[in-house]
């Protein structure tokens, strides 16, 4: 026997020895009894996940990669890198910012011509078409356009189509301010059909639709996307990250429902990215070539002019060669003119360079090679300034002007420009000094020319001008060729490692995972619903909870009466309900031992909990035992016993107390042996006062001597006061709770009766216990007999539908 049990006489022989195991199994069986609901919820959610997998647009992941050239590391950086103390390289972070920049996305979109998306309707979803759409739409972006929403175009023949709005809201693209959009308030109607190739125009739309392969009845949805909005959208969709912290390889990925679109966009993005870098690198060479082209345009005309003059003069004067003296003079003059021309070109270059620096137009810097200067300081300053300006442009993708990195690069540019300005000023002064000396030498040689014959002197002058222009022209051609070779030989320092490729399997939806999630949601929803419902339920359901909360033993449980007969003990002796009353009768030998005469009282908290039903059947079970039994109805407010036995409630206990009629005259014999009834009688105006009279005590004493068993059907103790006085006349008191009907607060009513009312020998009974509310382990229909009901010991048993179906088989 379990010594911890305060009521050892009522120990369940079937109860497992470990209470924790019992609690776990009780909880488990509490959920298992709802298995059809749990299974149905799981299957519904599983089916919903299946439909989601079937109709959701698959999303594919497109990936590519680029190699970023490493920047030179400072002394000792290799040591820190080896122990993992160096963060991600700054240039890698800059390249990530460039790849995710708006301007780069805008260039890629413009290169691909992404301004219209095409869709077809497939059941409940729209499927995007990228390659070979049935129609082609040309958008006039100089006109206001309705963007973001979809527009339907339906072919009504090979030559005609109708167009209509598909959505309710559209953003209006304003060509004068592409970054500011307004919401369309009124959508104009399309009142007629249109011919393919004809311009469709209204206040918020201007497009031209061309038919490529659309047939009659084909419906295509289009969505206009302006470049600024699409660039902002795609830059957020792009993910760029190094493959690890120490690597200079960037992985570029994009998730899209159209694999080819994703591949082409990433490839174009990388191509624009490399072209942008190469453009920055070739800027100085291109500026140099442009400067040379400007010089050549003027020299070419002069060279052609003097060449024509030279030919005409020789032809007219029949003079083709200079004399020996003239030749010597011309050679000296030619060298001086050549030096003068080079000095003038250098001076123009330095003056242009000075203007660029003064006007802060460093974007148009030219390579110093055009000047022919071999000064290493000048070359280094120009190259450094160009590199610093490119680095500033790259940093601007990630940092604002107030960021420390930007302030540092701006400071370096200012210092470099200052040094370059001083150097250029010095070169301009030196060039002017050199030109002054050259001009003095040329004037000296020109005086020697005056001693030559006039014909030879004129020929020398024309040939001199022609030769000067020819030398300059050839020099410029040479420098242009050098600059073009330099531009052609430049290569981006970064490179594409892998071109974009989409995965074969979609990353969304993940079908297996979605099915698992759907099934799990169904389980959690149903179990959660059951848990919350039980938690919020204020009715008494669990016998274990009732047993723990009340301060008296739960003596037994009465099963649900499946029939309409209120007296199953008398009419269905093999029923489970009858067996529950037999169990209670058997326990009476422990509750009130050595008693030849027994008085049992039944009450409850409120009406409807089954105290009258329990009183009638308890009296019946004693009468079947051969005990002379009487059932007394003391509920003077809502009498029910007369109705159950088919009597008229004309006389009863109220008649005895109010009119002085002897109690034996109100006793009514039933058709059953050993069972008499005293009804409550007509409802009096003062039921509480009647039951508190001394006469009632005398009547009760006489009845107890006359009968072996007296059953008292009392009014609810939770509603009226007289029941507390009636406890004095009974040997055993039963407080009735009804499963699924009685509120949990009723348990406190019983506890108050015990603690404050001083009621002794009161025990609890749980009425209307049924399998779908039962909690297993002997609690099905009462202590110790719940198992027998499952093994066919009774004629009736309430089984779930699935068990009944199995039994029929």
């Amino acid at each position: 026997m379990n010594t911890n049990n305060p009521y050892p006489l009522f120990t369940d022989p079937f109860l497992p020895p470990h209470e924790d195991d019992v609690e776990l199994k009780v909880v488990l069986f509490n959920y298992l009894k709802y298995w059809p609901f749990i299974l149905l919820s799981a299957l519904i959610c599983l089916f919903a996940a299946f439909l989601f997998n079937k109709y959701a647009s698959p999303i594919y992941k497109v990936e590519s990669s680029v190699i970023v050239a490493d920047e030179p590391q400072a002394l000792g950086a290799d040591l820190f890198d080896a122990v993992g103390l160096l963060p991600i390289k700054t240039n890698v972070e800059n390249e990530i910012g460039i790849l995710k920049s708006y301007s780069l996305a805008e260039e890629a979109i413009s290169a691909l011509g992404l301004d219209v998306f095409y869709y077809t309707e497939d059941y409940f979803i729209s499927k995007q078409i990228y390659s070979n759409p049935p129609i082609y739409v040309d958008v006039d972006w100089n006109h206001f356009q309705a963007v973001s929403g979809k527009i339907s175009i339906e072919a009504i023949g090979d030559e005609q189509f109708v167009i209509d709005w598909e959505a309710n809201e559209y953003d209006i693209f304003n060509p004068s301010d592409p970054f500011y959009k307004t919401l369309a308030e009124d959508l104009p109607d399309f009142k007629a059909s249109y011919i393919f190739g004809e311009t469709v125009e209204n206040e918020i739309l201007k497009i031209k639709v061309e038919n490529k392969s659309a047939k009659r009845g084909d419906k295509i949805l289009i969505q206009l996307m302006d470049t600024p909005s699409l660039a902002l959208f795609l830059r957020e969709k792009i993910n760029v990250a190094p493959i690890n912290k120490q690597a200079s390889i960037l992985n570029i990925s994009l998730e899209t429902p159209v694999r080819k679109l994703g591949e082409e966009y990433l490839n174009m993005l990388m191509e624009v990215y490399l072209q942008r870098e190469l453009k920055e690198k070739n800027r100085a060479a291109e500026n140099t070539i442009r400067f040379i082209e400007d010089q050549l345009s003027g020299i070419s005309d002069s060279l052609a002019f003097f060449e024509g003059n030279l030919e005409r003069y020789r032809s007219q004067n029949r003079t083709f060669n200079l004399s020996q003296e003239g030749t010597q003079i011309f050679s000296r003059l030619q060298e001086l003119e050549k030096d003068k021309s080079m000095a003038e070109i250098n001076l123009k270059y330095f003056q242009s360079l000075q203007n660029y620096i003064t006007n802060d137009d460093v974007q148009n810097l030219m390579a110093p090679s055009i000047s022919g200067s071999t000064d290493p300081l000048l070359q280094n300053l120009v190259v450094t300034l160009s590199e610093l300006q490119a680095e500033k442009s790259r940093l601007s993708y990630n940092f604002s002007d107030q960021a420390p990195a930007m302030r540092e690069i701006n400071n370096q540019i200012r210092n470099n420009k200052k040094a370059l300005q001083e150097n250029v000023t010095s070169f301009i002064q030196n060039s002017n000094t050199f030109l002054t000396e050259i001009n003095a030498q040329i004037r000296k040689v020109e005086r020697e020319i005056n001693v030559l014959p006039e014909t030879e002197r004129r020929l020398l002058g024309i040939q001199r001008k022609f030769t000067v222009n020819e030398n300059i022209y050839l020099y410029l051609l040479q420098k242009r060729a050098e600059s073009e070779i330099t531009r052609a030989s430049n290569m981006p320092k970064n490179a594409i490692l892998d071109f974009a490729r989409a995965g074969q399997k979609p990353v969304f939806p993940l079908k297996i995972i979605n099915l698992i999630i759907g099934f799990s949601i169904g389980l959690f929803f149903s179990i959660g619903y059951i848990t919350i419902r039980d938690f919020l339920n204020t009715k008494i359901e669990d016998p274990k909870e009732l047993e723990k909360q009340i301060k008296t033993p739960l003596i037994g449980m009465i099963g649900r009466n499946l029939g309409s007969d209120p007296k199953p003990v008398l009419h269905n002796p093999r029923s489970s309900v009858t067996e529950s009353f037999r169990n209670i009768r058997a326990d009476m030998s422990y509750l009130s031992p050595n008693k030849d005469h027994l008085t049992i009282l039944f009450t409850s908290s409120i009406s409807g909990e089954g105290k009258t039903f329990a009183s009638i059947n308890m009296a019946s079970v004693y009468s079947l035992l051969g005990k002379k039994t009487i059932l007394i109805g003391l509920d003077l407010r809502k009498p029910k016993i007369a109705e159950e036995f088919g009597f008229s409630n004309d006389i009863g206990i109220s008649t005895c107390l109010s009119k002085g009629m002897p109690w034996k005259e109100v006793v009514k014999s039933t058709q059953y042996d050993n069972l008499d009834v005293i009804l409550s009688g007509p409802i009096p105006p003062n039921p509480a006062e009647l039951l508190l009279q001394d006469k009632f005590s005398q009547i009760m004493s006489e009845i107890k001597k006359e009968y072996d068993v007296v059953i008292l059907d009392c009014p609810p103790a939770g509603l009226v006061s007289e029941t507390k006085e009636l406890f004095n006349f009974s040997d055993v008191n039963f407080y009735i709770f009804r499963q699924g009907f009685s509120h949990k607060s009723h348990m406190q009513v019983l506890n108050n009766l015990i603690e404050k009312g001083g009621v002794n020998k009161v025990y609890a009974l749980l009425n209307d216990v049924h399998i779908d509310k039962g909690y297993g382990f002997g609690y099905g229909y009462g202590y110790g007999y719940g198992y027998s009901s499952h093994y066919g010991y009774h004629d009736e048993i309430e089984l779930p539908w699935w068990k009944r179906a199995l039994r029929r088989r």
Side-chain angles (χ1 to χ4, degrees), residues 51-83:
L51 292 179
F52 180 79
N53 288 338
K54 182 176 178 62
Y55 292 107
S57 298
I59 304 296
Y60 297 89
K61 188 173 185 179
V62 185
E63 293 183 293
S64 61
S65 58
V66 295
I67 301 176
V68 177
D70 291 334
E71 288 183 343
Q73 295 184 348
L75 184 63
D78 291 339
L79 178 60
F80 289 98
D81 189 30
V83 295

Coordinates of all heavy atoms in Angstrom, one line a residue, residues 51-83:
L51 N -0.1 22.2 -52.7 CA -0.6 23.1 -53.6 C 0.3 24.3 -53.8 O 0.5 24.8 -54.9 CB -2.0 23.6 -53.2 CG -3.1 22.6 -53.2 CD1 -4.4 23.2 -52.7 CD2 -3.3 22.0 -54.6
F52 N 0.9 24.7 -52.7 CA 1.9 25.8 -52.7 C 3.1 25.5 -53.6 O 3.6 26.2 -54.4 CB 2.3 26.2 -51.3 CG 3.3 27.3 -51.2 CD1 2.9 28.6 -51.4 CD2 4.7 27.0 -51.1 CE1 3.9 29.7 -51.3 CE2 5.6 28.1 -51.1 CZ 5.2 29.4 -51.2
N53 N 3.6 24.2 -53.4 CA 4.7 23.8 -54.2 C 4.4 23.7 -55.7 O 5.2 24.0 -56.5 CB 5.2 22.4 -53.7 CG 5.9 22.5 -52.4 OD1 6.4 23.5 -52.0 ND2 5.9 21.3 -51.7
K54 N 3.1 23.3 -55.9 CA 2.7 23.1 -57.3 C 2.5 24.4 -58.1 O 2.9 24.6 -59.2 CB 1.4 22.3 -57.3 CG 0.8 22.0 -58.8 CD -0.4 21.2 -58.7 CE -1.0 20.9 -60.1 NZ 0.0 20.1 -60.9
Y55 N 2.0 25.4 -57.4 CA 1.6 26.7 -58.1 C 2.5 27.9 -57.8 O 2.4 28.9 -58.4 CB 0.2 27.1 -57.7 CG -0.9 26.1 -58.3 CD1 -1.5 25.2 -57.4 CD2 -1.1 26.1 -59.6 CE1 -2.5 24.3 -57.9 CE2 -2.1 25.2 -60.1 CZ -2.7 24.3 -59.3 OH -3.6 23.4 -59.8
A56 N 3.4 27.7 -56.8 CA 4.4 28.8 -56.5 C 5.4 28.9 -57.7 O 5.9 27.9 -58.2 CB 5.1 28.6 -55.2
S57 N 5.7 30.1 -58.0 CA 6.7 30.3 -59.1 C 8.1 30.0 -58.6 O 8.5 30.5 -57.5 CB 6.8 31.8 -59.5 OG 5.5 32.2 -60.1
P58 N 8.8 29.0 -59.2 CA 10.1 28.6 -58.7 C 11.1 29.8 -58.8 O 11.1 30.5 -59.8 CB 10.5 27.5 -59.6 CG 9.7 27.7 -60.9 CD 8.4 28.3 -60.5
I59 N 12.0 29.9 -57.8 CA 13.0 30.9 -57.8 C 14.4 30.2 -57.9 O 14.6 29.3 -57.1 CB 13.0 31.8 -56.5 CG1 11.6 32.4 -56.4 CG2 14.1 32.8 -56.5 CD1 11.3 33.4 -57.4
Y60 N 15.2 30.6 -58.8 CA 16.5 30.0 -59.0 C 17.6 31.0 -58.6 O 17.5 32.2 -58.7 CB 16.7 29.6 -60.5 CG 15.7 28.6 -61.0 CD1 14.5 29.0 -61.6 CD2 16.0 27.3 -61.0 CE1 13.6 28.1 -62.0 CE2 15.1 26.4 -61.4 CZ 13.9 26.8 -62.0 OH 13.0 25.9 -62.4
K61 N 18.7 30.4 -58.2 CA 19.8 31.2 -57.7 C 20.9 31.2 -58.8 O 21.3 30.1 -59.3 CB 20.5 30.6 -56.5 CG 21.5 31.5 -55.9 CD 22.0 31.0 -54.5 CE 23.0 31.9 -53.9 NZ 23.4 31.5 -52.5
V62 N 21.2 32.4 -59.3 CA 22.2 32.6 -60.3 C 23.5 33.1 -59.7 O 23.4 34.1 -58.9 CB 21.7 33.6 -61.4 CG1 22.7 33.7 -62.6 CG2 20.4 33.1 -61.9
E63 N 24.6 32.5 -60.0 CA 25.9 32.8 -59.3 C 27.0 33.1 -60.4 O 27.0 32.4 -61.4 CB 26.3 31.8 -58.4 CG 25.4 31.6 -57.2 CD 25.9 30.6 -56.2 OE1 26.0 29.4 -56.5 OE2 26.3 30.9 -55.1
S64 N 27.9 34.0 -60.0 CA 29.1 34.2 -60.8 C 30.2 34.7 -59.8 O 29.9 34.9 -58.7 CB 28.8 35.3 -61.9 OG 28.4 36.5 -61.3
S65 N 31.4 34.9 -60.4 CA 32.5 35.3 -59.5 C 33.5 36.1 -60.2 O 33.7 35.9 -61.4 CB 33.1 34.1 -58.8 OG 33.6 33.2 -59.8
V66 N 34.1 37.1 -59.5 CA 35.2 37.9 -60.1 C 36.4 37.8 -59.2 O 36.3 37.6 -58.0 CB 34.8 39.3 -60.3 CG1 33.6 39.4 -61.3 CG2 34.3 40.0 -59.0
I67 N 37.6 38.0 -59.8 CA 38.8 38.1 -59.0 C 39.2 39.6 -58.9 O 39.3 40.3 -59.9 CB 40.0 37.3 -59.7 CG1 39.6 35.8 -59.8 CG2 41.2 37.4 -58.9 CD1 40.6 35.0 -60.6
V68 N 39.4 40.0 -57.6 CA 39.8 41.4 -57.4 C 41.3 41.4 -57.1 O 41.8 40.6 -56.3 CB 39.0 41.9 -56.2 CG1 39.5 43.3 -55.8 CG2 37.5 41.9 -56.4
A69 N 42.0 42.3 -57.8 CA 43.5 42.4 -57.6 C 43.8 42.9 -56.3 O 43.1 43.8 -55.8 CB 44.1 43.3 -58.7
D70 N 44.8 42.3 -55.6 CA 45.2 42.7 -54.3 C 45.9 44.0 -54.3 O 46.7 44.3 -55.3 CB 46.0 41.7 -53.6 CG 45.2 40.4 -53.3 OD1 44.0 40.5 -53.1 OD2 45.8 39.3 -53.3
E71 N 45.7 44.9 -53.3 CA 46.5 46.1 -53.2 C 47.9 45.7 -52.5 O 47.9 44.8 -51.7 CB 45.8 47.1 -52.3 CG 44.6 47.7 -53.0 CD 44.0 48.8 -52.1 OE1 44.2 48.7 -50.9 OE2 43.2 49.6 -52.6
P72 N 48.9 46.5 -52.8 CA 50.2 46.2 -52.1 C 50.0 46.4 -50.7 O 49.4 47.3 -50.2 CB 51.1 47.3 -52.8 CG 50.5 47.7 -54.0 CD 49.0 47.5 -53.8
Q73 N 50.6 45.4 -49.9 CA 50.4 45.4 -48.5 C 51.6 46.1 -47.8 O 52.7 46.1 -48.4 CB 50.3 44.0 -47.9 CG 49.0 43.4 -48.4 CD 48.8 42.0 -47.7 OE1 49.8 41.5 -47.2 NE2 47.7 41.4 -47.9
A74 N 51.4 46.7 -46.7 CA 52.4 47.4 -46.0 C 53.4 46.3 -45.4 O 53.2 45.1 -45.3 CB 51.8 48.2 -44.8
L75 N 54.6 46.9 -45.0 CA 55.6 46.0 -44.4 C 55.1 45.3 -43.2 O 54.5 46.0 -42.3 CB 56.8 46.9 -44.1 CG 58.1 46.1 -43.6 CD1 58.6 45.1 -44.6 CD2 59.2 47.1 -43.1
G76 N 55.3 44.0 -43.1 CA 54.8 43.3 -41.9 C 53.4 42.8 -42.0 O 52.9 42.1 -41.1
A77 N 52.7 43.1 -43.1 CA 51.3 42.7 -43.3 C 51.2 41.2 -43.4 O 50.2 40.6 -43.0 CB 50.6 43.4 -44.5
D78 N 52.2 40.6 -44.1 CA 52.2 39.2 -44.3 C 52.2 38.4 -43.0 O 51.5 37.4 -42.8 CB 53.4 38.7 -45.1 CG 53.3 39.2 -46.6 OD1 52.1 39.5 -47.0 OD2 54.3 39.3 -47.2
L79 N 52.9 39.0 -42.0 CA 52.9 38.3 -40.7 C 51.6 38.3 -40.0 O 51.1 37.3 -39.5 CB 54.0 39.0 -39.8 CG 54.1 38.5 -38.4 CD1 54.5 37.0 -38.4 CD2 55.1 39.3 -37.6
F80 N 50.9 39.5 -40.1 CA 49.5 39.6 -39.5 C 48.5 38.8 -40.2 O 47.6 38.2 -39.7 CB 49.1 41.1 -39.4 CG 49.8 41.9 -38.4 CD1 50.9 42.7 -38.8 CD2 49.5 41.9 -37.1 CE1 51.6 43.5 -37.9 CE2 50.2 42.6 -36.2 CZ 51.2 43.4 -36.6
D81 N 48.7 38.7 -41.6 CA 47.8 38.0 -42.4 C 47.9 36.5 -42.1 O 46.9 35.7 -42.1 CB 48.0 38.2 -43.9 CG 47.0 37.6 -44.8 OD1 45.8 37.5 -44.3 OD2 47.3 37.3 -45.9
A82 N 49.1 36.1 -41.8 CA 49.3 34.6 -41.5 C 48.6 34.2 -40.2 O 48.2 33.0 -40.1 CB 50.8 34.3 -41.4
V83 N 48.5 35.1 -39.2 CA 47.8 34.7 -38.0 C 46.4 35.2 -38.0 O 45.7 35.1 -37.0 CB 48.6 35.4 -36.8 CG1 50.0 34.8 -36.7 CG2 48.6 36.9 -36.9

